[in-house]
Amino acid sequence: MPETTSVRDLEGFWAVIPAGGAGTRLWPLSRASSPKFLHDLTGTGRSLLQDTCDRLAPLVGGNLFVVTGARHADAVRSQLPGLAPEDLVAEPSPRDSMPAIGLAAALLERRDPEAVIGSFAADHVIGEPEAFRGCVREAVAVARTGYLVTIGIEPAYPATGFGYIHVGDGLTVRGAPHARQVSSFVEKPDAETAREYLETGEYRWNAGMFVVKASVLLELLARYQPDLAQGLRDIASDPARLDELWPSLTKIAIDHAVAEPAAAQGRVAVVPGTFSWDDVGDFASLAALLADTDDVPGLKVLGDRDLVIAQDSTGVVAPRSGRTVVTLGLDDVVVVDTPDALLVTTRERAQDVKSVVDILHRSGRTDLT
Amino acid sequence: MPETTSVRDLEGFWAVIPAGGAGTRLWPLSRASSPKFLHDLTGTGRSLLQDTCDRLAPLVGGNLFVVTGARHADAVRSQLPGLAPEDLVAEPSPRDSMPAIGLAAALLERRDPEAVIGSFAADHVIGEPEAFRGCVREAVAVARTGYLVTIGIEPAYPATGFGYIHVGDGLTVRGAPHARQVSSFVEKPDAETAREYLETGEYRWNAGMFVVKASVLLELLARYQPDLAQGLRDIASDPARLDELWPSLTKIAIDHAVAEPAAAQGRVAVVPGTFSWDDVGDFASLAALLADTDDVPGLKVLGDRDLVIAQDSTGVVAPRSGRTVVTLGLDDVVVVDTPDALLVTTRERAQDVKSVVDILHRSGRTDLT
């Protein structure tokens, strides 16, 4: 059972959950109409969004704030029945992460000028929640001193699909023994560069987790993107203007809007993450998170085990339509069975599933995307 | 349009269609509850059973006689609305081909003592129907002289999945210039033996087609399997005793019961078949019968082309549930999508689909078989 205590141990700390992104490479499980954060992709019985909230509850109690697309607001409310109506913002349209997190900051700053916010994507998977919470506690301690703080994941392999954080000198902050300065954020590297990063030991994966005082975030934003900061504060002072002002906000990621320029000015810190983390970007990544079935080595089933018969087969099978799925003589196969669409591919081609969704779009089959 | 003329050009000739066999290696398309002869497996819009009857109609007019399992009798009547009630026998249980064909012979002999019957399986595919009919005409001419006549298919490759006919000397029969004596029937060979057979030029595939006077078949049967012959004649003289007598009949194939011993006594002739023939035994064999789609070389679709998106993929896709099927990055894949079961395998493993059905049986999932 997840911990759902209402006692929070970090006074004035709010978890902000941007719940967006279609998870295109997880089609047909994940769709624009039903994105991956709404799904149980790990067999826990809880969606990724619910898992994210469960993981944060011991730190924040009821201090949860969710920003999601208007079309998903009802689904989010239904999955998080304890969420107060004022703690959910429904974006009229997607404007990337900075407007989403910035609006949460502007709204929370009005409630508590000393509020610290931590933004955590709704669709990531974390292996050791207690270790995660330990890192967040350190990050909050550092954020209270005025830093924008990120959590940098220890790279498990030379990934080319993530950005990296170049770590600098240690910081001296009470309650945050592991905190370091951030030298810079670097873009997704090629394979060779990724290997070099790992050899130095000075690089961490950028998992897009940011912990910062709401007022500091808005101050930094006002410096780098003044129009955007003003727009967000205008909405916060009169939420009835959301639909009117939202479309004019700059569409930009928090990394580019604030984190990168702030790092260049020595305003960003990092707490090294000592927990396993994955953004569940595609079926290969999902497969790595699932345990093998008891009886068939190399076979992962996302759903009812009894619906799958695998003969001389390995890979991932998601039987999500209630039908029996039989695989015979295929290694590293990916079979995703849903009521209106079926995907058959391989782990190796998992990243290319996006191209299928593009084809469906081009051929007008948006009912399936 | 198939020829459906009621004018037959072979007086006193009856086509007997044993419509049986589950087509297990074509699961989940073909099931014991809905065997392959009831399905359109070639995209013609007609089932294999209907194709078989269409192919024979120009020869026999309305002289069609079908023997099928009791559970399939309604489906057969529905697919062949022109079939007279007395021209359909519903077997109470499967007893292999000799009782099925023998009962048809016994019933037809009572209607016409000079009747010639030709038995042709309901679930085979023939490429050139006019060439086929030419062979049947020769076979009927030979059968009228008292031979049991088979049609021997020119081997297209050294198949190990079929029995062979060892061809002997030529015969001199008016109207049958290509007829030969049969030296013997031989069992399915190994690959090396099959190659040797092809090199000699003296071997033909045994497609299980037999043309013979009903009275001759019963005379031969009375010699080799007297109890069976008597049982069949008892049923023919009093069809009300079918249910009572049927279970006591010897379960045996016509090849073993009659064709092999008769060949040893010089009573069997063969007309060489000059048409393409396939028993559609598995999905590899089915794939070979289907044309490539216009736009994706190597892709065969059995069903609605618009339901299939194949990216960097070849093989066979049968979209039979109305859902969209996407294959990505798989060569020679077999995907068979039905409303209650999905099969994903490869052409190479097509023969092993039977093992899946065995597993379903053992695990009590007979609803799917």
Side-chain angles (χ1 to χ4, degrees):
Chain A
M1 285 293 293
E3 304 171 65
T4 51
T5 172
S6 64
V7 180
R8 57 182 184 266
D9 63 0
L10 288 171
E11 207 56 44
F13 175 58
W14 282 78
V16 172
I17 319 284
T24 306
R25 284 172 298 162
L26 291 174
W27 183 91
L29 272 192
S30 178
R31 320 257 180 124
S33 58
S34 178
K36 68 178 181 178
F37 62 82
L38 294 173
H39 292 267
D40 168 18
L41 291 184
T42 55
T44 61
R46 305 278 285 170
S47 72
L48 295 181
L49 170 66
Q50 289 172 319
D51 270 341
T52 301
C53 294
D54 293 347
R55 187 187 306 132
L56 289 158
L59 296 176
V60 300
N63 280 3
L64 265 171
F65 196 97
V66 178
V67 187
T68 194
R71 67 194 296 202
H72 307 308
D74 286 344
V76 168
R77 282 188 202 102
S78 154
Q79 290 203 356
L80 303 175
L83 191 70
E86 67 271 22
D87 293 341
L88 174 74
V89 165
E91 300 172 299
S93 60
R95 309 297 304 163
D96 216 327
S97 57
M98 189 67 248
I101 298 167
L103 180 57
L107 288 163
L108 292 170
E109 184 199 28
R110 294 180 71 87
R111 296 192 206 172
D112 173 4
E114 294 301 310
V116 174
I117 65 168
S119 83
F120 306 98
D123 56 3
H124 294 176
V125 168
I126 284 172
E128 299 83 24
E130 191 44 61
F132 163 75
R133 287 188 288 264
C135 292
V136 176
R137 285 188 192 95
E138 290 200 40
V140 171
V142 180
R144 293 200 202 279
T145 71
Y147 276 98
L148 172 63
V149 190
T150 186
I151 294 177
I153 311 295
E154 175 80 43
Y157 61 95
T160 57
F162 306 134
Y164 284 70
I165 299 161
H166 189 187
V167 174
D169 297 336
L171 290 177
T172 308
V173 178
R174 183 205 286 269
H178 306 96
R180 308 275 293 269
Q181 194 84 29
V182 167
S183 290
S184 64
F185 290 90
V186 292
E187 299 282 332
K188 297 174 185 177
D190 59 27
E192 175 59 23
T193 308
R195 276 191 296 273
E196 290 169 10
Y197 286 172
L198 262 67
E199 277 168 19
T200 67
E202 294 176 3
Y203 289 82
R204 295 267 165 170
W205 285 343
N206 177 7
M209 300 177 185
F210 292 101
V211 178
V212 60
K213 280 180 75 169
S215 59
V216 168
L217 182 65
L218 292 162
E219 172 232 315
L220 292 168
L221 189 62
R223 184 177 310 170
Y224 309 125
Q225 298 280 337
D227 291 349
L228 179 51
Q230 189 57 51
L232 293 170
R233 280 190 155 131
D234 289 346
I235 296 171
S237 71
D238 183 4
R241 299 184 66 197
L242 174 66
D243 284 348
E244 170 206 338
L245 295 175
W246 188 261
S248 67
L249 302 182
T250 305
K251 190 171 183 172
I252 189 168
I254 188 171
D255 303 71
H256 303 314
V258 165
E260 291 164 10
Q265 298 191 293
R267 295 287 304 270
V268 185
V270 58
V271 173
T274 51
F275 47 85
S276 64
W277 166 87
D278 201 286
D279 71 346
V280 206
D282 58 33
F283 287 110
S285 149
L286 179 60
L289 292 173
L290 297 171
D292 283 9
T293 51
D294 291 338
D295 50 335
V296 182
L299 175 71
K300 329 258 187 173
V301 173
L302 183 57
D304 182 353
R305 173 68 187 91
D306 290 344
L307 289 176
V308 179
I309 296 175
Q311 281 281 89
D312 305 334
S313 296
T314 59
V316 199
V317 178
R320 310 290 276 219
S321 76
R323 304 181 319 149
T324 296
V325 178
V326 175
T327 62
L328 171 64
L330 286 157
D331 275 323
D332 277 329
V333 72
V334 173
V335 180
V336 183
D337 180 58
T338 75
D340 60 354
L342 166 67
L343 171 70
V344 181
T345 185
T346 61
R347 281 207 212 190
E348 199 189 348
R349 296 298 297 270
Q351 297 210 44
D352 302 327
V353 171
K354 190 176 181 309
S355 70
V356 170
V357 178
D358 294 342
I359 289 170
L360 288 167
H361 267 289
R362 283 201 303 275
S363 57
R365 296 303 309 275
T366 46
D367 56 311
L368 294 176
T369 63
Chain B
M1 286 294 294
E3 305 170 66
T4 50
T5 172
S6 63
V7 180
R8 56 183 184 266
D9 63 1
L10 289 171
E11 207 56 43
F13 175 58
W14 283 77
V16 172
I17 318 284
T24 306
R25 284 172 297 163
L26 291 174
W27 182 91
L29 272 192
S30 177
R31 320 256 180 126
S33 59
S34 179
K36 69 177 181 178
F37 63 81
L38 294 173
H39 293 267
D40 168 17
L41 292 184
T42 55
T44 60
R46 304 279 284 169
S47 71
L48 295 181
L49 170 66
Q50 289 172 320
D51 271 341
T52 300
C53 294
D54 293 347
R55 187 186 307 132
L56 289 158
L59 296 177
V60 300
N63 279 3
L64 265 171
F65 196 97
V66 178
V67 187
T68 193
R71 67 193 296 201
H72 307 307
D74 286 344
V76 168
R77 282 188 201 102
S78 155
Q79 290 202 357
L80 303 176
L83 192 68
E86 67 272 21
D87 293 341
L88 174 73
V89 165
E91 300 172 298
S93 60
R95 309 295 305 160
D96 215 327
S97 57
M98 189 67 249
I101 298 167
L103 180 56
L107 289 163
L108 292 170
E109 184 198 28
R110 294 179 73 86
R111 297 193 205 171
D112 173 5
E114 294 302 310
V116 174
I117 65 169
S119 83
F120 305 98
D123 55 4
H124 293 177
V125 169
I126 284 172
E128 299 83 25
E130 191 44 61
F132 163 76
R133 287 188 288 264
C135 292
V136 175
R137 284 188 192 95
E138 291 200 38
V140 171
V142 181
R144 292 199 204 278
T145 71
Y147 276 97
L148 171 63
V149 189
T150 186
I151 293 177
I153 311 295
E154 175 80 44
Y157 59 97
T160 57
F162 306 134
Y164 284 71
I165 299 161
H166 189 187
V167 174
D169 296 335
L171 291 176
T172 308
V173 178
R174 183 205 286 269
H178 305 96
R180 309 276 293 270
Q181 193 85 29
V182 167
S183 291
S184 63
F185 291 91
V186 292
E187 299 283 330
K188 296 174 186 177
D190 59 27
E192 175 58 25
T193 308
R195 276 191 295 273
E196 289 169 11
Y197 285 173
L198 263 66
E199 277 169 21
T200 67
E202 295 176 2
Y203 288 83
R204 296 268 164 170
W205 286 342
N206 177 5
M209 301 176 184
F210 292 101
V211 178
V212 61
K213 280 181 74 169
S215 59
V216 168
L217 183 64
L218 292 162
E219 170 232 316
L220 292 168
L221 189 62
R223 184 177 309 169
Y224 308 125
Q225 298 279 337
D227 291 348
L228 179 51
Q230 187 59 50
L232 293 170
R233 282 189 154 132
D234 289 346
I235 296 170
S237 71
D238 183 4
R241 297 185 67 196
L242 174 66
D243 285 349
E244 169 205 340
L245 296 175
W246 188 262
S248 67
L249 302 182
T250 305
K251 189 171 184 172
I252 188 167
I254 187 170
D255 302 70
H256 303 314
V258 166
E260 291 163 10
Q265 299 191 292
R267 295 287 303 269
V268 185
V270 59
V271 173
T274 50
F275 46 85
S276 63
W277 167 87
D278 201 286
D279 71 346
V280 207
D282 58 33
F283 287 110
S285 149
L286 179 60
L289 292 173
L290 297 171
D292 283 10
T293 52
D294 291 338
D295 51 334
V296 183
L299 175 72
K300 328 258 187 173
V301 173
L302 183 57
D304 182 352
R305 173 68 187 92
D306 290 345
L307 289 175
V308 179
I309 296 175
Q311 281 280 90
D312 305 332
S313 297
T314 59
V316 199
V317 178
R320 310 289 276 219
S321 76
R323 305 180 319 149
T324 295
V325 178
V326 175
T327 61
L328 171 64
L330 285 156
D331 275 323
D332 276 330
V333 73
V334 173
V335 179
V336 183
D337 180 57
T338 74
D340 60 354
L342 166 68
L343 171 70
V344 181
T345 186
T346 61
R347 281 208 213 190
E348 198 189 348
R349 296 299 298 270
Q351 296 210 44
D352 301 327
V353 171
K354 190 177 181 309
S355 69
V356 169
V357 178
D358 294 342
I359 290 170
L360 289 166
H361 267 288
R362 283 201 303 275
S363 57
R365 297 304 309 276
T366 46
D367 55 312
L368 294 176
T369 62

